[in-house]
Amino acid sequence: MFSLMKRLKFLTGLVRQRSVLIAIMTLSVILLSSVGVQYFEQQAADSNIHSVWDGIWWAVVTVATVGYGDRFPISVGGRIVGFVLMFFGVGMMSLLTATIASIFVEKKIMEDKGLEIVKVKDHLIICGWNQHTEEVLAGLTTYGLTGDAPIVLINELSVDEIESFRLKYKKFNLKFLRGDYVREDVLLRANIAGARFAVIMADVSGGHSLERTDERTALTALTIKYLAPQVKTIAELLDGENRQHLKRANVEEIIVRGEHIGSLLATAVKSPGLPRLISGMLSLGDTNKFWRVEIPKTFIGRSFRELSTHYREKQHAILIGFLKDKKAMKLEDLLSDNTSVIDNFIREKIRETKKDFYYEKDEARIVVNPAGDYTIGPDDYAVVLSKSMPK
């Protein structure tokens, strides 16, 4: 794949260089013909080419095969120049047009094969492919999270599979990159630095070993956080024991496939029908769904009971609880305010790196069904159950 990309880039560079060369040669022929025809025609008494500009107009019309007939040479020398221009200029113009067209065709081929560089911003990158990827896309649309934002898919599906998927989901603003998303150059082609979110699926495309899926996920997370630490990253694991590797990579959300199957099965024995209720709330149909929403500022400092009544009466929603963001503190903030040599040295070294060092990563504390007099803080987000996101 990498060798194919290098060949395509090399050929594209040659085509572009050739197009520039042909354009320069065509322009030179037009200018020389304009000067030449004007030189010979100024000696003819009945000539209609009186200036170099008239000559340029005649040369361009001739090369473009428009043939207005408002300007034409009548002298022998001027007609010889016209013969040369028709012989060389028209052919070169056709060659230039064909070369420019080939550049666009080559660009389209590279885009269809997933080899083009992505030049979008604020996009969502989905790394990998498995049987749940289509459901993820459907969920993004159902929750209204994408809007017009592009979605970049990085995987190793075949060209035919990509084309079939493109036709099936024309309503999405989808872009494809074919390659191994673990590679740094592939992520750079996806403009990872300009992305808002990155989702790492447990990948089954490209014939990679299933046993190494979580290892590839962890390596990708580390690469993403190295290239673009500000990108919110969500990763899927097959084995929950690998969770600590993603935590070290500062992955914001970690989803372990099948993690709560045992609890649902036990719930079905103790409370029949309850698993169906939970599945219904998590489904993508026209049902009630969970939403994380900002709390109106007027309720900061007030109680859970008051906010719950507000959502129930005004938004027809059920307040489940809160997510409380726990912000990380910069290492520089831990240094004392005095001017000791050690503190100044550490502070200076941190500034030289132009990076922020944290002694604790961002976390979210979950508060479910709190007491009625629970006081809402400024860092709280409400978790509600409703058909649409409350405003």
Side-chain angles (χ1 to χ4, degrees):
M1 175 58 62
F2 186 66
S3 177
L4 176 61
M5 286 179 55
K6 288 179 66 177
R7 289 174 187 158
L8 286 173
K9 289 181 179 179
F10 177 72
L11 291 175
T12 302
L14 286 180
V15 171
R16 289 175 178 172
Q17 290 179 6
R18 187 179 68 176
S19 65
V20 173
L21 179 61
I22 294 174
I24 293 175
M25 292 176 64
T26 303
L27 183 61
S28 300
V29 169
I30 291 175
L31 292 177
L32 290 174
S33 299
S34 304
V35 174
V37 76
Q38 194 271 337
Y39 172 78
F40 289 109
E41 288 300 300
Q42 69 180 354
Q43 303 176 16
D46 298 330
S47 174
N48 50 44
I49 300 177
H50 306 291
S51 64
V52 175
W53 170 248
D54 289 340
I56 293 175
W57 172 256
W58 163 79
V60 172
V61 169
T62 302
V63 168
T65 66
V66 176
Y68 286 126
D70 56 340
R71 295 286 187 273
F72 53 89
I74 61 174
S75 65
V76 176
R79 290 184 176 181
I80 293 175
V81 172
F83 176 77
V84 174
L85 177 63
M86 286 184 282
F87 186 79
F88 290 101
V90 174
M92 294 183 65
M93 179 63 73
S94 301
L95 184 59
L96 177 62
T97 304
T99 303
I100 293 175
S102 68
I103 292 176
F104 287 101
V105 171
E106 189 71 29
K107 180 179 178 65
K108 180 62 177 175
I109 292 175
M110 290 188 67
E111 182 178 343
D112 290 341
K113 290 185 176 182
L115 302 177
E116 188 64 30
I117 297 176
V118 174
K119 297 181 180 179
V120 295
K121 292 183 178 180
D122 294 330
H123 53 294
L124 168 66
I125 298 177
I126 299 181
C127 302
W129 186 270
N130 59 40
Q131 67 271 27
H132 300 296
T133 306
E134 291 192 41
E135 187 177 356
V136 171
L137 288 171
L140 292 172
T141 302
T142 301
Y143 280 85
L145 301 179
T146 57
D148 295 330
I151 301 176
V152 179
L153 300 178
I154 307 176
N155 52 59
E156 296 180 77
L157 296 177
S158 66
V159 176
D160 292 338
E161 289 175 309
I162 289 177
E163 187 60 30
S164 174
F165 188 79
R166 191 195 302 272
L167 293 174
K168 184 178 179 181
Y169 293 93
K170 293 187 292 185
K171 62 181 180 179
F172 293 101
N173 186 3
L174 292 179
K175 297 184 179 296
F176 291 90
L177 281 183
R178 192 166 189 271
D180 187 358
Y181 55 82
V182 178
R183 297 178 59 93
E184 182 175 320
D185 62 297
V186 175
L187 291 171
L188 290 175
R189 282 199 294 126
N191 190 20
I192 184 65
R196 293 179 58 192
F197 296 94
V199 179
I200 309 173
M201 306 293 297
D203 185 38
V204 296
S205 67
H208 296 284
S209 172
L210 188 63
E211 289 75 16
R212 298 191 61 186
T213 299
D214 285 354
E215 177 184 337
R216 286 166 44 79
T217 299
L219 289 175
T220 304
L222 287 168
T223 306
I224 290 175
K225 287 301 183 181
Y226 171 76
L227 296 174
Q230 80 284 356
V231 175
K232 301 295 183 183
T233 307
I234 302 97
E236 178 189 20
L237 288 176
L238 298 180
D239 188 350
E241 293 185 359
N242 295 317
R243 189 193 303 268
Q244 69 272 14
H245 301 302
L246 295 185
K247 286 185 175 180
R248 294 192 189 104
N250 292 330
V251 172
E252 281 76 12
E253 298 290 344
I254 303 171
I255 309 297
V256 180
R257 188 185 298 182
E259 186 176 32
H260 301 292
I261 293 298
S263 299
L264 288 174
L265 290 174
T267 302
V269 175
K270 181 67 176 178
S271 305
L274 191 57
R276 289 198 301 272
L277 175 64
I278 297 174
S279 298
M281 290 187 294
L282 296 176
S283 66
L284 300 177
D286 186 22
T287 61
N288 286 285
K289 294 176 281 291
F290 291 105
W291 303 90
R292 175 185 184 266
V293 297
E294 290 189 10
I295 298 172
K297 293 182 179 180
T298 55
F299 284 92
I300 302 300
R302 297 169 66 178
S303 67
F304 167 79
R305 184 183 298 106
E306 293 176 284
L307 183 60
S308 178
T309 302
H310 165 77
Y311 279 129
R312 185 59 185 168
E313 294 181 353
K314 304 295 183 180
Q315 308 283 345
H316 195 65
I318 300 175
L319 180 60
I320 304 298
F322 300 98
L323 288 174
K324 181 182 288 290
D325 279 352
K326 186 177 180 181
K327 301 297 182 182
M329 183 177 292
K330 293 183 181 180
L331 182 60
E332 190 175 359
D333 296 335
L334 296 179
L335 302 177
S336 61
D337 294 331
N338 59 37
T339 57
S340 66
V341 177
I342 296 178
D343 283 352
N344 287 336
F345 175 78
I346 296 174
R347 190 178 289 108
E348 186 63 29
K349 289 300 180 182
I350 292 176
R351 290 171 180 170
E352 286 178 2
T353 63
K354 298 181 180 179
K355 294 183 179 180
D356 292 329
F357 292 88
Y358 299 92
Y359 79 97
E360 186 174 350
K361 61 173 289 186
D362 292 354
E363 294 179 350
R365 184 167 63 88
I366 304 172
V367 181
V368 179
N369 191 25
D373 58 354
Y374 173 89
T375 302
I376 300 171
D379 296 331
D380 283 341
Y381 288 85
V383 179
V384 300
L385 181 66
S386 63
K387 286 191 175 182
S388 60
M389 178 180 286
K391 298 180 181 179

